[in-house]
Amino acid sequence: MQTGSTTPVAQRIGVPREIFPGEQRVATSPEVVEKLVKLGFAVTVESGAGAAANFSDEAFLAAGADIAADATALWTKADVVFKVRPPTPAEVSQLREGATLIGFVWPAQNPELMQQLAARKATVLAIDCLPRTLSRAQKMDALTSQASVAGYRAVIEAANAFGRFFNGQITAAGKVPPAKVFIAGAGVAGLAAIGAAAGLGAIVRANDTRAEVADQVISLGGEFVKVDYEEEGSGGGGYAKVMSEGFQAAQRAMYAQQAREVDIIITTALIPGKPAPKLITAEMVQSMKPGSVIVDMAAEQGGNCELTEPGRAVVKHGVTIIGYTDLVSRLAKQSSSLYATNLFRLTEELCKAKDGVMHVNMEDDAIRGLTVVKDGTITWPAPPLKAAAPAPKPAAAAPEKKAAAHGHGPGGPMPAKTLAIVFALGALAFWFIGAYAPAAFVGHFTVFVLACFIGYMVVWNVTPALHTPLMSVTNAISSIIAIGALVQIAPPVAEGASRPDGLIRWLAAAALVLTAVNMFGGFAVTRRMLAMFRK
């Protein structure tokens, strides 16, 4: 908003209560309200908006927000509206003309809603349209944060419906085998489910059309089950693509085998703009062991299982099929907190001046991708992101490389004449040391030179990613140095022999101090690294 002067007037962010049936999330949290106020915004929250997520009106008041008595009072005075679910026609009719709406919109599935918002001359930022391939957009990626919650909750629902432990146990009453869990789709939700199921002690298997996720599955404690058919399944933007008939036939055969072997199946497969692919047939369900469980996370888009009933948990052929469409809402406080943080990070991008006014910069790739309606004009879909231009190669690069290859440029092998001179000087230096230095010194010096050469070659040939773990090895070497320093400080002296002079002892003491710092510091860093991989 702008007044007649050049001084910007702080905008008011409104957060209404979600009215979609079963939706318990709220678009902000008291913690985020404090941060929004520091950015210069006024914040109004509808009374009871956060009750289902355990955020009371009093908590919002304490954070600096105002409380609106009803939705009408909120919608009519908010310059910016934060939402979770797409607004209903009744809510759109209450939106102030020219206001900004931020939340999930799904423009491809809601063309009529897009027209209604454009008629209100609104600016709409659809959080579901964020270009996920941009690394700096990850902090705003609400699809990822909500999918991770849904994947975790899917495992909890499966554990609740399953009749046994997830982990194997041996007790006086008998042996309990671990549950076998198969997860179809290793996107964000699938990876979250893999981590949760493996953490509970189950044997976890997973499959995805994108071969590059195999390492991620293994790193979380799962086993990647490969389809016996070669085809790349990445569809760009972090999503999978529709596969060929040959691949799908091989995939169905693999799913049929897994269905006979495992106790729990969790499906997560979705393709943007298309109904959920049918992965689990009625015959596969019938082949599963009695008491098995299927959690269909794609139920809202039709389901990956032929027998899924969206919004319900049913038992068919002795198998419990869970088709809940509100998995994220079943962890409302956690999902609301993550979503609120995503919207706050977006607000930071829109209000870099921290003056309480949002500016939609259509030159910014991330903001342009999010903006589906700008001042009443539909701008969706956004143009494809521009590929980064390759760095131009210097014109003289090729000749220089050629010269280097023949030993006449930097980086190439040393010319034979220069190499001969270097070796001659080195040999002369060694002869001089051998001729005039004590015999004991020559032996120690030879060992020192060989140690430097061997150590350099060993470290040089190690992948840089492994340099930090090598600190443990350097700690062991440092301990040898410490022993040598101790010998110099208090050597075992034979009767009548002289002790090392003061300079040598002081150098040995300094070496001991520096070695101790390296040893203890190295072990501390290595311990912290190992702690990152422990639960």
Side-chain angles (χ1 to χ4, degrees), residues 460-484:
W460 181 260
N461 288 291
V462 172
T463 304
L466 299 178
H467 282 176
T468 304
L470 275 178
M471 292 184 71
S472 296
V473 179
T474 62
N475 291 336
I477 298 174
S478 295
S479 65
I480 297 173
I481 298 172
I483 293 172

Side-chain angles (χ1 to χ4, degrees), residues 120-423:
R120 301 295 296 175
K121 301 188 185 308
T123 295
V124 181
L125 279 74
I127 201 72
D128 48 276
C129 293
L130 179 74
R132 303 174 78 183
T133 54
L134 295 175
S135 58
R136 71 180 188 85
Q138 293 177 359
K139 61 185 179 182
M140 303 179 276
D141 191 355
L143 285 173
T144 293
S145 67
Q146 303 304 287
S148 64
V149 175
Y152 175 86
R153 184 68 192 197
V155 174
I156 301 303
E157 295 293 342
N160 181 58
F162 190 50
R164 294 206 327 259
F165 299 133
F166 263 44
N167 63 321
Q169 294 188 17
I170 298 177
T171 70
K175 180 180 179 181
V176 179
K180 295 180 180 179
V181 179
F182 178 71
I183 296 172
V188 176
L191 292 174
I194 292 168
L200 289 174
I203 297 173
V204 184
R205 304 169 183 171
N207 168 261
D208 197 281
T209 57
R210 298 160 297 175
E212 65 267 20
V213 304
D215 289 340
Q216 300 176 43
V217 171
I218 295 171
S219 69
L220 288 170
E223 173 192 351
F224 188 78
V225 182
K226 194 174 184 297
V227 177
D228 190 17
Y229 193 97
E230 293 298 330
E231 182 176 350
E232 174 55 42
S234 179
Y239 295 99
K241 70 175 184 180
V242 179
M243 306 300 286
S244 67
E245 284 297 327
F247 182 92
Q248 292 182 33
Q251 187 183 53
R252 283 192 293 270
M254 183 269 290
Y255 283 157
Q257 179 183 352
Q258 293 299 320
R260 292 190 295 269
E261 295 178 4
V262 302
D263 304 298
I264 296 168
I265 296 178
I266 298 175
T267 65
T268 71
L270 283 172
I271 299 174
K274 296 181 180 294
K278 299 298 181 185
L279 305 178
I280 308 299
T281 64
E283 290 77 13
M284 294 180 195
V285 175
Q286 196 167 3
S287 70
M288 295 181 73
K289 292 174 281 190
S292 297
V293 178
I294 296 175
V295 181
D296 194 339
M297 295 184 63
E300 195 166 3
Q301 301 299 324
N304 296 136
C305 177
E306 288 183 347
L307 302 182
T308 296
E309 295 185 17
R312 300 182 58 201
V314 296
V315 179
K316 297 183 178 180
H317 304 297
V319 177
T320 301
I321 304 173
I322 298 173
Y324 296 148
T325 57
D326 62 345
L327 288 172
V328 182
S329 277
R330 289 171 179 253
L331 285 172
K333 186 166 186 175
Q334 181 68 79
S335 55
S336 296
S337 297
L338 294 175
Y339 183 66
T341 300
N342 294 141
L343 295 192
F344 171 69
R345 296 304 179 191
L346 172 58
T347 305
E348 283 185 316
E349 293 292 319
L350 297 171
C351 182
K352 293 184 177 179
K354 299 183 180 181
D355 56 359
V357 179
M358 293 188 183
H359 300 279
V360 178
N361 180 13
M362 298 296 275
E363 299 300 319
D364 185 311
D365 287 339
I367 304 303
R368 176 64 188 89
L370 285 167
T371 307
V372 296
V373 181
K374 180 70 166 68
D375 298 326
T377 301
I378 296 177
T379 59
W380 181 85
L385 295 176
K386 296 179 182 178
K393 295 182 179 180
E400 186 178 23
K401 183 177 180 182
K402 185 176 180 181
H406 289 283
H408 302 297
M414 188 180 295
K417 185 177 179 180
T418 306
L419 188 62
I421 294 174
V422 170
F423 269 104

